[in-house]
Amino acid sequence: MSQLAPPPSRQQLRLRSIAWSLGAGIAALLLGLPLGLEAGLRAGGCGVLYGLLAFHLQRVDPDDSHLQAGLVGAVCGIHSLALPPLAPWPLPAPLPAALVAVAPTVMMGLVRAWLPLIGAALLLHGGQVLVRRLRPENGS
């Protein structure tokens, strides 16, 4: 008969939460540094927030991948709010022409901003899956 492991203590949960936050923050920082120091620091800060939220989401509903993907999108959106404006306001040209002019720059800016966070999320969850697979099961 296999015995269930006792639930983790509050102290253990706090340490895991901090580890997830630091892990995601450091991963995002390292992935963002090639884009510049400011981009790396912003990505690292958002990575810390993502890691903290991801840990608690994992505790509440570990099987809901839609919520996890939504969390990545939400943190990427938060990070996007800190990006500098790409065009003056009000626009000097009509709206369609102005959108065509800035669309490539906006898309590349978002890709550069989001890649470190998406990479950090993949590393964090990939590491979690690896730990689960390598951990011996209780009672085996």
Side-chain angles (χ1 to χ4, degrees):
M1 191 183 269
S2 67
Q3 293 180 340
L4 294 176
S9 69
R10 291 182 65 77
Q11 180 66 20
Q12 289 172 321
L13 291 174
R14 276 190 213 105
L15 290 175
R16 286 183 193 172
S17 176
I18 291 169
W20 276 53
S21 293
L22 291 177
I26 290 169
L29 172 72
L30 293 176
L31 291 169
L33 277 177
L35 302 173
L37 181 61
E38 183 179 348
L41 291 174
R42 286 178 194 244
C46 287
V48 167
L49 174 66
Y50 170 76
L52 179 66
L53 294 172
F55 172 76
H56 292 287
L57 177 63
Q58 183 74 20
R59 283 190 58 216
V60 172
D61 193 354
D63 298 325
D64 196 339
S65 60
H66 287 89
L67 273 177
Q68 292 172 5
L71 177 60
V72 173
V75 174
C76 285
I78 292 167
H79 188 246
S80 297
L81 291 174
L83 295 177
L86 296 171
W89 190 260
L91 300 173
L95 184 60
L99 288 176
V100 168
V102 299
T105 307
V106 169
M107 287 309 297
M108 287 310 297
L110 292 178
V111 167
R112 284 188 196 109
W114 292 1
L115 281 179
L117 293 171
I118 293 169
L122 290 173
L123 287 172
L124 187 66
H125 287 285
Q128 186 68 15
V129 169
L130 184 65
V131 166
R132 269 190 251 132
R133 289 196 177 160
L134 294 177
R135 185 184 318 154
E137 294 187 28
N138 294 334
S140 295

